[in-house]
mmCIF file of all heavy atoms in Angstrom:
data_model
loop_
_atom_site.group_PDB
_atom_site.id
_atom_site.type_symbol
_atom_site.label_atom_id
_atom_site.label_comp_id
_atom_site.label_asym_id
_atom_site.label_seq_id
_atom_site.Cartn_x
_atom_site.Cartn_y
_atom_site.Cartn_z
ATOM 1 N N LEU Y 493 146.263 81.845 71.977
ATOM 2 C CA LEU Y 493 145.501 81.743 70.760
ATOM 3 C C LEU Y 493 144.555 82.966 70.633
ATOM 4 O O LEU Y 493 144.286 83.442 69.575
ATOM 5 C CB LEU Y 493 144.757 80.416 70.680
ATOM 6 C CG LEU Y 493 143.928 80.253 69.403
ATOM 7 C CD1 LEU Y 493 144.715 80.254 68.131
ATOM 8 C CD2 LEU Y 493 143.086 78.932 69.485
ATOM 9 N N GLY Y 494 144.047 83.361 71.836
ATOM 10 C CA GLY Y 494 143.209 84.598 71.833
ATOM 11 C C GLY Y 494 143.895 85.801 71.273
ATOM 12 O O GLY Y 494 143.308 86.624 70.588
ATOM 13 N N MET Y 495 145.127 85.958 71.631
ATOM 14 C CA MET Y 495 145.944 87.081 71.039
ATOM 15 C C MET Y 495 146.124 86.860 69.565
ATOM 16 O O MET Y 495 145.985 87.842 68.732
ATOM 17 C CB MET Y 495 147.262 87.125 71.778
ATOM 18 C CG MET Y 495 148.346 88.106 71.206
ATOM 19 S SD MET Y 495 149.471 87.332 70.091
ATOM 20 C CE MET Y 495 150.854 88.436 70.130
ATOM 21 N N GLN Y 496 146.455 85.653 69.123
ATOM 22 C CA GLN Y 496 146.640 85.395 67.687
ATOM 23 C C GLN Y 496 145.404 85.670 66.977
ATOM 24 O O GLN Y 496 145.391 86.206 65.785
ATOM 25 C CB GLN Y 496 147.113 83.942 67.496
ATOM 26 C CG GLN Y 496 148.521 83.689 68.187
ATOM 27 C CD GLN Y 496 148.947 82.265 68.076
ATOM 28 O OE1 GLN Y 496 148.260 81.398 67.478
ATOM 29 N NE2 GLN Y 496 150.014 81.935 68.690
ATOM 30 N N CYS Y 497 144.226 85.297 67.503
ATOM 31 C CA CYS Y 497 142.973 85.541 66.779
ATOM 32 C C CYS Y 497 142.649 87.087 66.685
ATOM 33 O O CYS Y 497 142.069 87.505 65.730
ATOM 34 C CB CYS Y 497 141.754 84.900 67.588
ATOM 35 S SG CYS Y 497 141.726 83.079 67.434
ATOM 36 N N SER Y 498 143.165 87.863 67.699
ATOM 37 C CA SER Y 498 142.930 89.295 67.612
ATOM 38 C C SER Y 498 143.787 89.829 66.449
ATOM 39 O O SER Y 498 143.409 90.875 65.829
ATOM 40 C CB SER Y 498 143.332 89.924 68.942
ATOM 41 O OG SER Y 498 144.692 89.854 69.277
ATOM 42 N N VAL Y 499 145.016 89.273 66.285
ATOM 43 C CA VAL Y 499 145.871 89.696 65.138
ATOM 44 C C VAL Y 499 145.217 89.421 63.878
ATOM 45 O O VAL Y 499 145.181 90.231 62.893
ATOM 46 C CB VAL Y 499 147.217 89.057 65.233
ATOM 47 C CG1 VAL Y 499 148.104 89.268 63.970
ATOM 48 C CG2 VAL Y 499 147.972 89.475 66.533
ATOM 49 N N ILE Y 500 144.604 88.226 63.701
ATOM 50 C CA ILE Y 500 143.881 87.822 62.486
ATOM 51 C C ILE Y 500 142.690 88.776 62.268
ATOM 52 O O ILE Y 500 142.479 89.272 61.153
ATOM 53 C CB ILE Y 500 143.431 86.352 62.596
ATOM 54 C CG1 ILE Y 500 144.592 85.394 62.659
ATOM 55 C CG2 ILE Y 500 142.523 85.997 61.382
ATOM 56 C CD1 ILE Y 500 144.191 83.978 62.948
ATOM 57 N N GLU Y 501 141.938 89.050 63.275
ATOM 58 C CA GLU Y 501 140.736 89.902 63.243
ATOM 59 C C GLU Y 501 141.172 91.314 62.717
ATOM 60 O O GLU Y 501 140.534 91.866 61.791
ATOM 61 C CB GLU Y 501 140.072 90.034 64.567
ATOM 62 C CG GLU Y 501 138.662 90.581 64.518
ATOM 63 C CD GLU Y 501 138.594 92.114 64.445
ATOM 64 O OE1 GLU Y 501 139.539 92.736 64.937
ATOM 65 O OE2 GLU Y 501 137.592 92.658 63.805
ATOM 66 N N VAL Y 502 142.181 91.966 63.300
ATOM 67 C CA VAL Y 502 142.603 93.309 62.838
ATOM 68 C C VAL Y 502 143.179 93.274 61.476
ATOM 69 O O VAL Y 502 142.937 94.109 60.664
ATOM 70 C CB VAL Y 502 143.656 93.786 63.889
ATOM 71 C CG1 VAL Y 502 144.280 95.053 63.335
ATOM 72 C CG2 VAL Y 502 143.002 94.110 65.183
ATOM 73 N N SER Y 503 143.863 92.140 61.123
ATOM 74 C CA SER Y 503 144.456 92.005 59.799
ATOM 75 C C SER Y 503 143.308 92.036 58.712
ATOM 76 O O SER Y 503 143.485 92.714 57.676
ATOM 77 C CB SER Y 503 145.281 90.738 59.660
ATOM 78 O OG SER Y 503 146.340 90.739 60.578
ATOM 79 N N ARG Y 504 142.288 91.310 58.990
ATOM 80 C CA ARG Y 504 141.218 91.151 58.060
ATOM 81 C C ARG Y 504 140.366 92.485 57.957
ATOM 82 O O ARG Y 504 140.011 92.926 56.881
ATOM 83 C CB ARG Y 504 140.251 89.993 58.349
ATOM 84 C CG ARG Y 504 140.904 88.628 58.239
ATOM 85 C CD ARG Y 504 139.941 87.529 58.705
ATOM 86 N NE ARG Y 504 140.429 86.167 58.610
ATOM 87 C CZ ARG Y 504 139.800 85.143 58.969
ATOM 88 N NH1 ARG Y 504 138.537 85.185 59.394
ATOM 89 N NH2 ARG Y 504 140.357 83.877 58.863
ATOM 90 N N ASN Y 505 140.009 92.992 59.143
ATOM 91 C CA ASN Y 505 138.922 94.085 59.131
ATOM 92 C C ASN Y 505 139.506 95.510 59.272
ATOM 93 O O ASN Y 505 138.760 96.398 58.852
ATOM 94 C CB ASN Y 505 138.025 93.809 60.310
ATOM 95 C CG ASN Y 505 137.329 92.412 60.209
ATOM 96 O OD1 ASN Y 505 136.889 92.103 59.046
ATOM 97 N ND2 ASN Y 505 137.209 91.682 61.235
#
Side-chain angles (χ1 to χ4, degrees):
L493 179 61
M495 174 263 208
Q496 295 175 6
C497 287
S498 71
V499 172
I500 295 170
E501 195 279 331
V502 170
S503 300
R504 292 178 182 179
N505 299 320

